[in-house]
Amino acid sequence: MGVGKLPAGWALTTLGEVAAWGSGGTPSRSRPEYFRGNIPWIKTGELGAKYIRDAEERISETAIAQSSAKIFPKGAVGIAMYGATIGKLSIWGIDAATNQACAVGIGGEALNNEFLYYFLASEKRSLIKAGKGGAQPNISQGVIKEWPLNLPPLAEQQRIVAKIEELFSELDQGVASLKTAREQLKVYRQSLLKNAFEGKLTAAWRAAHADQLETATALQQRIARERQARYQQQLADWKTAGQAGPKPKPPKPLPPLTPEELAELPELPAGWGWIRLGAANVEVFDGPFGSNLKSSDYVSDGVRVIRLENIGAMAFIEDKLSFVTPEKYLELEKHTVFPGDLVFSSFVTENVRVAMVPPSIEKAVNKADCFCIRLFGETLLNSFALSFLATRSVYKRLEEEIHGVGRPRINTTQLKNVVIPVCSTDEQRELIALIQEKLSEADQLDQTLTTALQQADALRQSILKKAFCGQLVEQDKNDEPATALLERIRASRGASPAKGRQAKLVSKPLTNC
């Protein structure tokens, strides 16, 4: 087949000529009886799987009669026309109604519904691009109906669908294996951290340095001295500055760990001890709340603002950029964070999100709900604290703190009360090096899996492209040509497309083939 030449038996038409299109509607929510029926009512947020076989809500026959909602038959194909779900599509596995955000196509005698589904899947990015709406694009039914379609004979459509599903099934098995491997990597990372903070990774190091280990009690006393020394330095600096600004406050003591709390904690190796995070040489503070930092304060450049979307699981996400002006920063200066500080998401869902501010950010402001953890001295290193705070055990403890609360959020007091292990500075450095080495290997494997998943998606698109260019299955000269199907459709409607429109269609070559 030459470039731009239709395969034998194919014809160029539009989606509007070979399928019937419509959309649904939303019955009035002020009429509760409308939502007490037995008719499935599918919303665009429910689209996505190939077949949709149930709906979250049901409406009554009265709702159908007194609103724009209508029932579409099993086998129809729905595609979301706008909103966050734009482009999602499914085949109706049941007779069901839908809302006005969904365009529904029903193939006729010339168009196989599954062929229509896969065609829309291959074209949805182009459909969205061709739609209107700017930052919030939408696909209109008008665009869909006028969309050109290279139509194969009906028998070939069925062979194409069968081949797509055969290839996709093989691809899905590979994708499932890749996703399983990624999940196993998550388990490996947590297992690594668990072993690290039970002292197993550095057991050999401790054996080689047994005569140099200080006791847990001596370590905790050294932390207390370090905290007090920092306070005395702050006080001296305040006096040197002529007592400008508020007087520094002495370190606030936290309640010691109770015997009951210690009994619930894992046993630690020699030279290790447990302390509350807030009892370390640390400052923990939140960002500005409410009107102190509004959406209207953000600008395209200036002083960086760290937001929740920048905080990953032990990873700082740099490509989410927000800024305030230098003048606005001066109002928020007490919320400054620096490279090496830890930022901790107050929202605890599924896992703990904590990251280290990278050297590429000279200074920034942390937004509300992004807690800053700033460690001083060397009794608790920031990388050591980062790794421990990302463990599953910390998540489980914090999850207990927020149990029963509507929004899964903690406060700075709860964060300060997190119990964290400490060991000698030298052992912390050794442990960090081992963790980073092993996590680096896991990250490389994760990147390989990510690349393979991206390649699988590209292969899926390649399969669809070949399918709709006539390159996936062989043509059969015994198939009834698509032109005959179209002629019957036009005859049954008693009319044919306007000559100008028809001339435009037959002269348009295949694209992207």
Side-chain angles (χ1 to χ4, degrees):
M1 181 181 72
V3 175
K5 184 179 179 182
L6 285 170
W10 287 42
L12 185 61
T13 182
T14 62
L15 288 176
E17 185 172 23
V18 292
W21 291 90
S23 62
T26 301
S28 174
R29 293 282 183 182
S30 65
R31 300 285 298 275
E33 67 273 17
Y34 284 172
F35 292 87
R36 293 176 186 154
N38 296 312
I39 301 168
W41 183 64
I42 297 168
K43 301 183 290 295
T44 53
E46 300 169 58
L47 302 179
K50 181 182 177 183
Y51 285 99
I52 186 163
R53 305 185 189 279
D54 201 358
E56 295 173 355
E57 293 187 273
R58 282 170 163 69
I59 58 176
S60 65
E61 292 183 5
T62 305
I64 294 289
Q66 299 181 5
S67 76
S68 58
K70 56 184 70 71
I71 300 173
F72 294 94
K74 179 180 178 179
V77 182
I79 180 169
M81 294 188 289
Y82 52 84
T85 57
I86 186 170
K88 283 193 172 184
L89 62 156
S90 292
I91 299 174
W92 265 217
I94 49 174
D95 293 348
T98 186
N99 64 16
Q100 65 274 18
C102 187
V104 183
I106 306 168
E109 61 177 300
L111 184 63
N112 178 289
N113 280 329
E114 289 182 301
F115 183 87
L116 172 60
Y117 168 81
Y118 284 119
F119 178 74
L120 289 173
S122 72
E123 295 288 309
K124 65 181 182 181
R125 292 177 184 171
S126 297
L127 280 165
I128 292 170
K129 188 176 180 180
K132 300 177 181 179
Q136 297 294 327
N138 64 78
I139 308 169
S140 69
Q141 276 196 64
V143 168
I144 294 173
K145 290 177 181 178
E146 293 180 0
W147 204 257
L149 167 67
N150 301 316
L151 184 70
L154 193 58
E156 188 173 343
Q157 291 178 41
Q158 294 164 351
R159 293 197 300 274
I160 288 171
V161 167
K163 189 63 176 179
I164 288 173
E165 294 188 339
E166 175 192 339
L167 296 174
F168 276 17
S169 177
E170 296 172 1
L171 197 55
D172 288 342
Q173 291 177 28
V175 167
S177 297
L178 291 171
K179 289 182 176 179
T180 298
R182 291 192 76 184
E183 290 303 312
Q184 290 172 340
L185 266 182
K186 291 180 183 178
V187 174
Y188 167 75
R189 287 187 178 100
Q190 284 301 320
S191 177
L192 171 66
L193 294 177
K194 181 176 183 291
N195 287 337
F197 293 103
E198 288 176 353
K200 294 177 183 177
L201 286 189
T202 46
W205 183 91
R206 280 194 308 279
H209 299 81
D211 58 338
Q212 302 170 23
L213 296 177
E214 62 183 329
T215 65
T217 300
L219 178 60
Q220 290 163 345
Q221 290 172 346
R222 186 157 60 89
I223 291 170
R225 289 195 301 272
E226 198 177 72
R227 275 166 55 93
Q228 185 62 29
R230 179 167 64 88
Y231 164 65
Q232 292 298 332
Q233 184 61 53
Q234 289 173 332
L235 196 60
D237 292 343
W238 175 72
K239 292 177 179 177
T240 300
Q243 301 185 3
K247 183 179 180 180
K249 296 180 180 179
K252 185 177 181 180
L254 292 179
L257 294 169
T258 66
E260 292 76 18
E261 287 177 305
L262 288 169
E264 292 179 357
L265 295 168
E267 184 177 351
L268 294 174
W272 288 51
W274 292 104
I275 63 168
R276 300 188 195 278
L277 176 63
N281 193 7
V282 66
E283 284 182 6
V284 177
F285 58 89
D286 200 354
F289 274 92
S291 60
N292 292 318
L293 181 57
K294 300 177 290 188
S295 297
S296 58
D297 291 322
Y298 294 124
V299 293
S300 59
D301 197 9
V303 178
R304 186 75 178 268
V305 177
I306 293 175
R307 307 174 70 177
L308 288 170
E309 54 261 42
N310 296 121
I311 306 175
M314 292 183 67
F316 189 88
I317 303 168
E318 292 204 57
D319 58 351
K320 307 287 187 178
L321 302 177
S322 300
F323 302 92
V324 292
T325 64
E327 293 76 18
K328 183 64 182 179
Y329 164 71
L330 293 177
E331 298 176 22
L332 308 172
E333 193 171 9
K334 67 178 181 179
H335 302 285
T336 301
V337 296
F338 297 105
D341 286 343
L342 306 184
V343 281
F344 190 103
S345 169
S346 70
F347 289 92
V348 181
T349 55
E350 298 183 359
N351 63 355
V352 167
R353 288 162 51 204
V354 58
M356 187 181 299
V357 179
S360 58
I361 298 177
E362 182 181 348
K363 66 181 178 183
V365 174
N366 58 320
K367 195 176 183 296
D369 292 316
C370 301
F371 302 152
C372 176
I373 303 170
R374 179 171 298 148
L375 292 156
F376 300 88
E378 293 194 340
T379 48
L380 181 58
L381 302 179
N382 53 7
S383 294
F384 184 91
L386 170 70
S387 299
F388 180 75
L389 290 172
T391 60
R392 197 69 183 165
S393 63
V394 170
Y395 167 74
K396 287 293 184 183
R397 289 175 206 163
L398 291 175
E399 187 182 37
E400 293 174 2
E401 293 285 335
I402 59 175
H403 181 70
V405 178
R407 301 186 72 187
R409 175 194 290 172
I410 65 166
N411 55 42
T412 53
T413 298
Q414 290 167 319
L415 180 56
K416 290 175 186 177
N417 276 312
V418 167
V419 181
I420 186 168
V422 287
C423 57
S424 72
T425 303
D426 288 341
E427 187 169 357
Q428 286 185 48
R429 290 196 177 100
E430 178 69 14
L431 187 65
I432 291 164
L434 291 171
I435 289 174
Q436 290 178 345
E437 177 187 349
K438 294 181 181 299
L439 286 182
S440 177
E441 294 170 357
D443 289 343
Q444 290 177 24
L445 179 55
D446 192 32
Q447 183 56 54
T448 300
L449 294 171
T450 299
T451 300
L453 286 168
Q454 291 169 345
Q455 290 171 340
D457 185 59
L459 179 56
R460 199 180 300 271
Q461 292 302 314
S462 177
I463 290 169
L464 292 175
K465 177 182 175 181
K466 287 184 176 181
F468 301 110
C469 289
Q471 299 169 358
L472 194 62
V473 300
E474 291 185 2
Q475 281 75 51
D476 186 337
K477 63 181 180 181
N478 295 316
D479 290 342
E480 181 182 29
T483 50
L485 297 174
L486 293 176
E487 285 170 2
R488 281 206 304 275
I489 290 173
R490 292 163 186 163
S492 67
R493 292 175 181 170
S496 61
K499 291 183 179 179
R501 179 61 177 162
Q502 182 68 2
K504 181 180 178 182
L505 284 174
V506 298
S507 65
K508 181 176 179 179
L510 260 67
T511 57
N512 301 320
C513 292

